[in-house]
Amino acid sequence: MPNLAFAKRFGRIPAAAVGSLLLAACASSGGLFGASDKAVATPPPPAAFTDRTISNSSIAVLVYDRPITKYDVDQRAKLIQLGGGKSGRKAATEELIDETLQMIEAARRGVSVSDGQVDRAFVSIGTQLKLNPSQFGAALREEGVNPDTLKRRLRAQIAWRSLVQRRTRSESQISSADLTSELLARGGPESITLTEYTLQQIVFVVPSGSPDSAFTQRRQEANRFRQRFQGCATSLERAGQLKAVVVKDIGRRSSDQMGGSEAKEIAKTGVGGTTTPSRSGQGIELIAVCSTREVQSTAAARTEIQNKYAIEQATDLGKDYLEELREAAIIQYR
């Protein structure tokens, strides 16, 4: 049974949902697998999970020469139970074996996960529970779970996601027939409408290394410019009257080509207006909406369908990939 006190206070941490919570923190490391790039029983690199001295009596499983301790199993069992998953030492042991194999494979393929990536994932989960990192760590400890236990799981999931993405890019194929069939099932291209924007970028330049006060001053200038903005036709002329302001034509962008908070900001900005000032690597910038038009396109639907197929194929490839690693591995239960 999941820990009801923790669930009531903070909400559960579903094991299956952890991956979705850390998507923004994951980064693909690039590169592709070749067709013959399969798991083989090669000696693993040095253990990376822990530097502590481990006695033989405390080892529950050896995966190649990497130990999984009884403490590791106990901690993982508590974490699984806390998340409402299928608890027990056997489930915890098998999960830890899978993760150890995944980390060995990641090291063999040159995939590394920084502490920063893990910390961002940890913070993301805490944020979902409305807890800052210190509060989240304290909440876990109250339930007998060392925060490093969750961070170990996160590190493995980030690395594994990167590996599976590589193999998916290398092996997945979506036929044009599948795309066409799905589009027709959705009603055909005439039912798909996108908004196309013509945009300008207006940058109030702040030199690299400037103090925060310089950004604050330029943001104030950008806000005044925004209040008096009269459209893209006069933006270049008006910018020329100011110090270190650059206007760049972005050109046309359709709504399916944009994402994140910037896309939402552009969508709610009327023609002839600008987005609110935001800080960038160049200084403080505005995006001006010069014009919009509605266009018929299958691009958005195609992207959605391709993503759906990619997720399905990644799930299958991930299972097959892990089975390969299991079959090739040397696993000793104590």
Side-chain angles (χ1 to χ4, degrees):
M1 292 290 291
N3 189 303
L4 298 181
F6 187 93
K8 185 176 180 180
R9 289 178 61 194
F10 306 115
R12 296 180 181 177
I13 313 171
V18 169
S20 63
L21 289 174
L22 57 81
L23 283 178
C26 296
S28 175
S29 58
L32 297 175
F33 279 120
S36 62
D37 199 359
K38 302 297 184 183
V40 293
T42 56
F49 282 138
T50 178
D51 294 326
R52 69 182 185 273
T53 302
I54 300 172
S55 66
N56 286 333
S57 61
S58 69
I59 296 174
V61 183
L62 274 175
V63 181
Y64 293 106
D65 62 351
R66 291 201 184 183
I68 297 172
T69 68
K70 295 174 183 177
Y71 172 80
D72 295 331
V73 175
D74 289 340
Q75 281 286 296
R76 182 55 58 91
K78 290 179 181 178
L79 181 63
I80 293 172
Q81 184 179 28
L82 194 60
K86 183 180 179 181
S87 61
R89 294 185 60 82
K90 186 177 188 308
T93 300
E94 295 307 309
E95 187 173 281
L96 286 167
I97 290 171
D98 288 345
E99 288 180 5
T100 303
L101 290 171
Q102 289 164 356
M103 292 304 296
I104 290 172
E105 179 71 357
R108 193 167 78 90
R109 299 297 179 193
V111 173
S112 61
V113 180
S114 70
D115 291 342
Q117 287 175 281
V118 175
D119 289 341
R120 286 192 293 274
F122 186 84
V123 169
S124 176
I125 296 173
T127 300
Q128 295 291 323
L129 301 174
K130 296 180 171 50
L131 300 172
N132 65 37
S134 296
Q135 292 170 330
F136 186 29
L140 289 170
R141 290 188 187 93
E142 285 179 13
E143 304 302 328
V145 177
N146 188 320
D148 287 342
T149 299
L150 176 57
K151 289 183 178 181
R152 172 174 175 165
R153 170 189 265 176
L154 294 173
R155 187 180 297 276
Q157 288 183 331
I158 294 169
W160 185 241
R161 180 172 179 267
S162 181
L163 287 170
V164 173
Q165 282 179 335
R166 285 185 176 189
R167 180 165 283 197
T168 300
R169 287 196 298 269
S170 177
E171 298 185 8
S172 65
Q173 294 182 348
I174 302 172
S175 69
S176 58
D178 288 333
L179 278 172
T180 301
S181 176
E182 185 88 15
L183 285 169
L184 290 173
R186 296 184 180 203
E190 66 279 2
S191 64
I192 302 165
T193 303
L194 301 174
T195 301
E196 185 180 79
Y197 300 87
T198 303
L199 306 171
Q200 276 185 349
Q201 181 188 42
I202 303 165
V203 182
F204 286 71
V205 178
V206 178
S208 177
S210 296
D212 287 343
S213 58
F215 286 91
T216 300
Q217 180 181 342
R218 293 299 265 170
R219 186 183 296 274
Q220 291 170 351
E221 294 174 20
N223 270 317
R224 289 195 294 269
F225 180 91
R226 180 174 183 248
Q227 291 168 4
R228 297 194 297 269
F229 188 73
Q230 296 178 345
C232 297
T234 62
S235 59
L236 189 58
E237 178 184 349
R238 290 198 56 232
Q241 300 170 5
L242 302 172
K243 181 181 178 181
V245 178
V246 179
V247 178
K248 301 177 182 178
D249 285 323
I250 297 176
R252 294 177 179 176
R253 295 288 187 275
S254 58
S255 52
D256 67 311
Q257 294 176 315
M258 302 184 295
S261 59
E262 185 179 66
K264 293 178 181 178
E265 184 79 10
I266 290 171
K268 69 181 184 181
T269 300
V271 174
T274 76
T275 60
T276 55
S278 62
R279 183 167 174 169
S280 70
Q282 298 174 293
I284 301 296
E285 70 174 45
L286 308 168
I287 301 297
V289 179
C290 305
S291 65
T292 63
R293 66 170 182 162
E294 300 301 306
V295 295
Q296 299 292 330
S297 173
T298 63
R302 285 179 179 273
T303 299
E304 182 184 340
I305 293 166
Q306 287 170 335
N307 288 341
K308 185 189 78 168
Y309 273 80
I311 291 171
E312 291 174 355
Q313 292 179 350
T315 300
D316 293 338
L317 285 170
K319 291 177 181 177
D320 293 342
Y321 195 176
L322 189 55
E323 285 180 9
E324 290 174 17
L325 297 180
R326 277 268 189 173
E327 289 174 2
I330 301 172
I331 302 171
Q332 301 176 51
Y333 293 86
R334 297 295 185 92

